[in-house]
Every structure is written in C-alpha cells, then in structure tokens.
Amino acid sequence: MLDIGLLSSILVIVAVMYAAARWAPVGSMHANETIDRLYLPALAAIFSGRVAAAALDDPTSLRSLRALLVLRGGVEFWPGVAVGVAVLALGLRRSGRPIRVDLVDLAPFMLWGYGAWELTCWLRDGCFGPATAFGLTPDGLTRPQFPVGLVMGMSIVGLGFVVRHLWALEPNRRLLVALGGVASVRAIGSIWLPHLGSGMTRHHEQSVAVALVAVVALGFGWWRTERARRVPVGDQTRADPDDVDAATEAQIRPHRVFRPRPGLPVESPLPSEVAGDLPDA
C-alpha cells in the first residue's frame, strides 16, 4: 500500500531544498551542486537510522528488506545524523573542498529540510501532543491535540536562518549552535510527545545528551577565547604596583622614537629627559 502522507512529506522536503538552493544559494556552489551534495547523505542518514532502529527495537526485522523499508517502523535520529554528516564530509574531502566551511554553508539547508519534515506532520497524521480544546486530531484519536511537531518545525527552520547569518562565529561554533539547537528542540518537544511509561524515552535521552555536549563545547570554546583575549600584565610578584602598570602600558602601547623633520618647529611628544638624549636633526 502506498503511503501518500509519507510520500507527500518527502516531496515537500525536496521542493523546499530546491527553493532554498535557488533563493539562498551557497556562494561557493552552484544551486544544483548544493542539492547534489545533500541527497546522498540524506539517503544514508535515513537508511542507517532505520537499520539502527530495527536493531534496537526488533532485531529479527533485519532479516526482511521489506520491514527495513517501512519508515513508519521508526528511525533513530542521532545515529542517522552522524552517518549523514560523515558521508557528507567524506564527499567534500574527496572533492578537495574545505570541509568545515562547506559543512557550515550546508548546515542551514539540512536544518530547513528537517524542519520541513516536522512541519508536514499533518500530512502523515502524526502531529501529536497534549490533549487540548483546539488543535489537530490524528487518526485513531477522538480529542484534538496540540501539534508539537509544527512548533518544532518552525523552531528548526528559524534555527537554520540563525546559523546562516552567524557570520561572527567561527565554523566549529556555528556547527555546535546548529547541533545544540536541534538537540534542544527535540529534547523539549519530547516532553509533550506521547510515549509509553513515565520515564524518558531513548530518543529523549539522546537529545538531552547531545544538547549537553554541545553546550559544554560552546562554553569551553568561549572560555578559551576569553582567556586568549586577556591583555598580558607585568610580573605580579613585584612589590611596587606602579611597576606593573608601567609594564602593562609598555606592552600595550610600545614607545616609538620621535624624530622631528628638519626645519619644522614641532614640539616633541616625548618627556624632556628622553627628548634631550636624541641627536639633533
């Protein structure tokens, strides 16, 4: 049986990616090259995520190709992301392109594609959430539910624009912002998504762990940057604090020898005892 909802979501994602490549192109790539760089990593991410989900939930389904191709059976998000990024980086390396820079340039497109997947949850009857007086009613339920997937999708799309315009950050930090942002959105959204039992699901735990790692890495990078920006001071073991201030000033603003041009009555900016030692012009 053909899954119309799933097929419709995939078509919307493809249309969004092509539109983004035309309207927000990567400066170092042609629009078609942007799509060509992403479709193989996307397929690798989906397939590896599906295999990981089958191995964790029902190992016997690994023997059936038909069972593996049923995406509604579950896809492990973060293992799929890891494989997809690895395939993308390998392709960039084989082409001799700067891996980190291109990963940052392509990160918004990956975020927009994933955001489109979440935004099209209503096409798959998968916009679940807490029961409310208004919202969408998925198949099999009688009460409307707040569409958490729509909020997650809008957040991910907005994150894509943020990552695209964070020019002041270096590539590694922009990638960490993208990674931590997605993990945070998924971790928060998982609170209201339906699940069995009262504890955290495997997907929820993975998102929380990834978000914490990204935050710690960003914090450590910020600490290293601030430490490197500190102005070196003089020897703190000196008893006279004036000596420390003088050493600091000398390091920040080193003195330059002032030599006035001949015949011009220019007053020397140096102290008199220093200017007196200079040879006459």
Side-chain angles (χ1 to χ4, degrees):
M1 181 179 179
L2 186 62
D3 194 333
I4 301 298
L6 180 61
L7 181 60
S8 301
S9 293
I10 295 175
L11 292 178
V12 170
I13 294 173
V14 172
V16 168
M17 299 298 287
Y18 270 99
R22 295 295 189 278
W23 296 336
V26 177
S28 60
M29 295 184 187
H30 189 270
N32 292 335
E33 184 181 0
T34 301
I35 303 300
D36 293 341
R37 292 287 179 187
L38 292 175
Y39 80 87
L40 182 59
L43 293 176
I46 295 173
F47 181 75
S48 59
R50 179 70 191 106
V51 171
L56 292 172
D57 296 331
D58 185 15
T60 59
S61 61
L62 295 174
R63 305 172 184 174
S64 174
L65 180 60
R66 182 177 181 181
L68 288 176
L69 295 178
V70 179
L71 296 181
R72 287 186 180 269
V75 176
E76 287 292 317
F77 182 80
W78 291 112
V81 169
V83 172
V85 172
V87 172
L88 177 58
L90 180 61
L92 294 173
R93 181 179 181 181
R94 294 183 62 182
S95 301
R97 298 186 62 89
I99 298 177
R100 289 192 306 166
V101 175
D102 282 355
L103 282 178
V104 172
D105 290 338
L106 295 174
F109 295 90
M110 292 184 281
L111 293 174
W112 293 332
Y114 173 55
W117 169 263
E118 294 288 355
L119 284 172
T120 55
C121 61
W122 58 276
L123 293 175
R124 307 185 302 273
D125 289 327
C127 288
F128 297 100
T132 57
F134 60 92
L136 302 177
T137 305
D139 287 346
L141 300 178
T142 57
R143 296 186 58 185
Q145 294 190 353
F146 182 78
V148 175
L150 294 181
V151 179
M152 293 175 59
M154 289 185 289
S155 301
I156 298 297
V157 171
L159 178 63
F161 287 100
V162 171
V163 173
R164 180 177 173 84
H165 291 91
L166 283 179
W167 303 109
L169 292 182
E170 61 181 0
N172 287 344
R173 296 189 184 182
R174 292 172 68 184
L175 291 175
L176 287 174
V177 169
L179 184 67
V182 173
S184 299
V185 170
R186 287 182 58 86
I188 296 173
S190 297
I191 298 175
W192 291 282
L193 292 177
H195 57 276
L196 299 176
S198 58
M200 298 173 60
T201 63
R202 182 174 66 245
H203 302 278
H204 195 178
E205 292 176 349
Q206 292 173 355
S207 297
V208 171
V210 173
L212 289 176
V213 170
V215 170
V216 170
L218 283 172
F220 180 73
W222 174 83
W223 174 79
R224 289 189 60 185
T225 301
E226 292 299 319
R227 184 182 180 184
R229 287 178 179 175
R230 292 176 183 174
V231 179
V233 298
D235 188 3
Q236 299 292 345
T237 61
R238 296 182 181 179
D240 188 358
D242 294 336
D243 294 339
V244 177
D245 296 337
T248 303
E249 182 68 18
Q251 293 175 11
I252 299 176
R253 300 180 183 275
H255 292 295
R256 297 182 179 179
V257 177
F258 177 76
R259 298 183 182 275
R261 295 172 59 185
L264 295 179
V266 180
E267 183 180 355
S268 174
L270 297 178
S272 58
E273 60 273 12
V274 178
D277 296 336
L278 297 177
D280 295 336

